[in-house]
Amino acid sequence: MNEENVSTQGTSCCSNGKTSEKTSCCSGCSCSKVFSIALVITIIGTVISVLTCEWLFKWIYAIEPIVAWKYGLNVAPSGQAMAVNFVGELILAIILVCVFVKLYDGIPYKGWKKGVKFGFLVWLVSILPGMFATYMWMNVALAWVVYMTIMGLIVLLIKGAVIGAMYKK
């Protein structure tokens, strides 16, 4: 049997370089590792969102037209809505980490720099066209679109850096 066709039981994707023998997902990386990275970037994204959208840049949601927002400046989302949002963000983060793992060998650089490059590429194909379409076809303020485009870039660069730093092949 050819050695190239023999699959290994464990694949090292942990930041400590140890081989994982647990259930594999995302090209051999353990599901627990993928979940832990996703959980970290979800928490980071939530903290950034609360600090910016709920406090520092809350004024952006007061620019007319404001009819697009489900929750107003003085109406906070319920605990249930926040929980559903967190679970949804976690699921999307798991997908993001899995895409990083699948594309790992095709992304230049190493470590956190590889993650930053990945975050930038994701921004180019998701946030940038999404915000352009939002501006073209929805009744929202241009300032909000610019803000969300910039925040999307910042958040994806940070999330990418964290993914790149935590994931080792």
Side-chain angles (χ1 to χ4, degrees):
M1 180 179 252
N2 188 341
E3 283 186 73
E4 293 175 354
N5 294 332
V6 177
S7 66
T8 58
Q9 282 294 85
T11 302
S12 175
C13 70
C14 304
S15 57
N16 61 9
K18 294 182 180 175
T19 300
S20 171
E21 299 290 339
K22 298 178 183 174
T23 305
S24 175
C25 59
C26 299
S27 294
C29 186
S30 75
C31 291
S32 63
K33 187 62 178 178
V34 169
F35 181 79
S36 64
I37 295 171
L39 183 60
V40 168
I41 66 170
T42 301
I43 292 168
I44 289 170
T46 300
V47 169
I48 291 171
S49 178
V50 167
L51 289 176
T52 57
C53 296
E54 297 291 324
W55 176 60
L56 191 57
F57 298 110
K58 189 174 184 177
W59 59 268
I60 201 85
Y61 296 95
I63 299 173
E64 291 292 337
I66 59 171
V67 296
W69 316 129
K70 191 171 191 174
Y71 302 101
L73 284 176
N74 299 317
V75 181
S78 68
Q80 181 181 6
M82 295 300 287
V84 169
N85 182 68
F86 188 84
V87 170
E89 292 287 339
L90 180 58
I91 291 167
L92 293 171
I94 290 169
I95 294 168
L96 186 66
V97 174
C98 286
V99 170
F100 178 81
V101 171
K102 292 282 188 191
L103 299 177
Y104 185 85
D105 291 331
I107 304 169
Y109 307 111
K110 291 182 180 180
W112 67 269
K113 290 180 181 179
K114 181 182 283 271
V116 168
K117 180 72 167 188
F118 173 73
F120 179 73
L121 294 172
V122 170
W123 177 81
L124 276 177
V125 298
S126 63
I127 302 293
L128 197 56
M131 286 296 104
F132 176 72
T134 297
Y135 177 69
M136 291 302 299
W137 305 110
M138 295 179 70
N139 191 21
V140 295
L142 175 61
W144 180 85
V145 173
V146 170
Y147 163 75
M148 290 305 291
T149 304
I150 294 168
M151 283 306 301
L153 176 61
I154 292 167
V155 169
L156 279 170
L157 292 177
I158 292 169
K159 287 181 176 182
V162 171
I163 294 169
M166 290 182 73
Y167 178 83
K168 304 287 185 221
K169 191 165 185 179

